[in-house]
Amino acid sequence: MRLFTSILAVSLLASAAGAQTDYDLLLKGGHVIDPKNHLSAERDVAIRDGRIAAIEEHIDAARALKTVELHGLLVTPGLIDIHVHAYASTGEKASYAGDESVWPDDFTLRSGVTTVADAGSSGARNFADFKEHIIDRSKTRVLAFLNIVGAGMRGPKYENNLADMVPETAAEVAKRYPGLIVGIKTAHYAGPEWIPVENAVKAGTLANIPVMVDFGTNHKERPLEVLLTQKLRPGDIYTHCYSGLRDELLPDGKVNPGMIEGRKRGVIFDVGHGGGSFVWRIAVPAIEQGFRPDSISTDLHITSMNSGMKTMLNVMSKFLALGVSVDEVIADSTWHPAREIHHEELGNLSVGSPADVSVLRVERGDFGFTDTYGARMNGKQKFECELTIKGGKVEYDLNGISRTDWKKLPKDYTATGDRRWDGLNPARKTH
């Protein structure tokens, strides 16, 4: 009898141990919004080995090494911001390949952003340096649009140099880094010629990647309607779509017909808020007329982060104030940008996909949101990030919801996590 009891006890212990190792991390009871899979419901999400392992109505907490209770919170794919400036390592003054850019990990994970695309800070001649000093050293997944200007986004002296906009060179570098360089960028050009756009499109065609256009100075010789209906290809991206700087809204208050026709052709419209490219007097009537963005992005840099833009969550919250639903805003910040940059393994919570997850709270109250000219709109909702998981590991935890109360730990506790789920405070290996 004793032998039988001992065998039974060992069997039960082994069974329990096996159950505990089914999953590294279990996110339990949150409202999952996964636009790719048309899911918006309460679900449990299990993670193992850095990937989504299961999404079910109920998963036993005993099967996970770590369980985090998320009742009342949103669980979404990791947010994707496809317009940032992150080439901060050179120290060059007044340059987006330098001091105008920000270090990505300082501004992403705390906002639920797990993937960014740098929007043209580097060009063919300095992309390798950007990769070595920023991309390869960041927890955030940093992708890039390569500037058609070989010198990158370093100010008017460089960005107005038509001779440095060589499509073959840009395409060659882009093909050297497939999947990492996700597109070609043209921006800030002050002249009336179409050469920057035409050469960017040539490079994009040679490398089979999209083009993102910041249309620069407005000129009658190159109207927005021609850009969107003749110059760009389906899948190319017009950013700063609510800037009001390039006739996005006509004097009669109507959305430029070129934007409507461009969308019909398959041109993508991205927010690219930035320090000067989002205005309520443009966004409100455009959205009232049904012209919503395809993707929400920040144009994060040292000016925008402290002015009207602030964070990805702040920009997303502005669209709640504009009457866009929570589910639609999440889609514009996850699955839609993932498709635009041809990274469809991201922006979703499908089983087997990378376990990049944002846990968000929708706060309700009286809030104010400002545009790039300092005009305010009031809103009743805003997003707050509670937890960010990148590659299956907790990388940001605002209120410690993944942590154990200190009173329940040993008197001499040190690091409390496990490397299988904790990217912040994992205990050291002792063997």
Side-chain angles (χ1 to χ4, degrees):
M1 186 65 180
R2 284 179 188 156
L3 178 60
F4 174 77
T5 303
S6 298
I7 292 172
L8 178 60
V10 170
S11 176
L12 289 172
L13 285 170
S15 176
Q20 289 174 350
T21 59
D22 283 352
Y23 306 118
D24 301 327
L25 182 62
L26 177 61
L27 307 176
K28 195 162 184 60
H31 184 97
V32 173
I33 300 178
D34 182 3
K36 176 186 177 181
N37 294 302
H38 308 289
L39 176 62
S40 183
E42 188 173 303
R43 291 290 188 273
D44 293 349
V45 180
I47 294 168
R48 184 178 177 87
D49 296 332
R51 295 191 172 272
I52 303 297
I55 297 188
E56 300 173 10
E57 290 188 24
H58 174 75
I59 299 174
D60 189 348
R63 299 176 63 189
L65 178 67
K66 177 70 179 181
T67 297
V68 185
E69 296 288 344
L70 300 178
H71 295 280
L73 300 175
L74 301 181
V75 179
T76 79
L79 305 181
I80 300 173
D81 186 353
I82 63 166
H83 191 150
V84 307
H85 293 285
Y87 190 6
S89 58
T90 70
E92 185 172 59
K93 185 178 179 181
S95 169
Y96 287 99
D99 287 354
E100 297 292 318
S101 282
V102 302
W103 297 89
D105 290 348
D106 293 354
F107 298 92
T108 51
L109 300 169
R110 62 180 48 244
S111 295
V113 175
T114 56
T115 299
V116 298
D118 180 274
S121 303
S122 67
R125 291 204 299 282
N126 51 9
F127 177 77
D129 181 76
F130 175 46
K131 179 179 183 296
E132 178 185 354
H133 291 101
I134 300 294
I135 294 174
D136 295 346
R137 304 183 189 188
S138 300
K139 281 188 175 182
T140 310
R141 180 183 295 101
V142 180
L143 309 172
F145 286 86
L146 188 73
N147 205 308
I148 188 61
V149 179
M153 197 175 286
R154 300 172 62 191
K157 172 184 173 182
Y158 299 94
E159 293 171 76
N160 289 321
N161 182 5
L162 294 174
D164 198 25
M165 303 178 189
V166 183
E168 293 80 9
T169 303
E172 180 184 352
V173 172
K175 288 190 285 188
R176 200 179 302 159
Y177 300 97
L180 188 56
I181 294 177
V182 297
I184 303 294
K185 176 77 182 290
T186 176
H188 303 166
Y189 183 64
E193 298 89 353
W194 284 103
I195 294 171
V197 170
E198 292 171 346
N199 284 5
V201 170
K202 287 179 185 176
T205 301
L206 289 169
N208 194 29
I209 50 178
V211 169
M212 177 185 279
V213 176
D214 168 346
F215 204 26
T217 305
N218 203 17
H219 286 281
K220 61 180 176 54
E221 295 91 342
R222 47 172 202 167
L224 180 64
E225 185 172 359
V226 172
L227 173 75
L228 300 173
T229 62
Q230 299 178 32
K231 298 294 183 178
L232 296 185
R233 307 161 299 167
D236 287 341
I237 303 165
Y238 179 70
T239 193
H240 306 317
C241 66
Y242 301 118
S243 72
L245 298 174
R246 303 165 192 98
D247 302 320
E248 290 90 354
L249 213 64
L250 298 183
D252 62 2
K254 300 296 185 182
V255 172
N256 190 318
M259 292 185 45
I260 296 170
E261 289 303 311
R263 172 162 279 170
K264 289 178 182 177
R265 292 181 61 241
V267 174
I268 302 296
F269 291 86
D270 175 64
V271 173
H273 188 299
S277 297
F278 181 87
V279 188
W280 292 122
R281 59 179 170 78
I282 305 298
V284 171
I287 288 179
E288 286 176 348
Q289 293 170 53
F291 201 89
R292 276 184 41 209
D294 295 296
S295 55
I296 293 172
S297 69
T298 62
D299 187 11
L300 173 67
H301 52 76
I302 63 166
T303 302
S304 64
M305 68 184 188
N306 289 324
S307 58
M309 188 281 290
K310 298 178 178 63
T311 67
M312 181 69 167
L313 295 175
N314 187 270
V315 180
M316 292 166 62
S317 298
K318 289 174 181 177
F319 285 87
L320 296 182
L322 285 163
V324 182
S325 73
V326 169
D327 286 34
E328 290 170 327
V329 170
I330 297 302
D332 291 344
S333 308
T334 57
W335 178 233
H336 294 170
R339 288 189 303 179
E340 292 167 19
I341 60 173
H342 301 171
H343 271 278
E344 296 187 10
E345 78 281 8
L346 304 176
N348 68 85
L349 298 174
S350 303
V351 172
S353 65
D356 295 353
V357 184
S358 300
V359 178
L360 308 177
R361 182 186 302 278
V362 179
E363 295 190 355
R364 290 170 173 80
D366 295 315
F367 309 111
F369 305 100
T370 56
D371 67 13
T372 54
Y373 293 131
R376 189 186 73 248
M377 173 182 273
N378 295 326
K380 294 294 185 182
Q381 300 178 92
K382 72 173 182 178
F383 291 107
E384 191 75 55
C385 179
E386 284 286 346
L387 195 72
T388 304
I389 296 162
K390 168 69 166 54
K393 290 182 171 58
V394 173
E395 298 290 358
Y396 177 76
D397 186 349
L398 178 64
N399 286 300
I401 58 177
S402 69
R403 318 311 305 188
T404 302
D405 189 290
W406 73 275
K407 296 175 184 177
K408 297 179 181 179
L409 295 170
K411 287 185 178 181
D412 59 348
Y413 71 85
T414 55
T416 59
D418 186 289
R419 292 183 183 277
R420 285 170 283 183
W421 64 268
D422 189 357
L424 296 172
N425 303 111
R428 294 188 182 93
K429 291 184 179 179
T430 58
H431 59 277

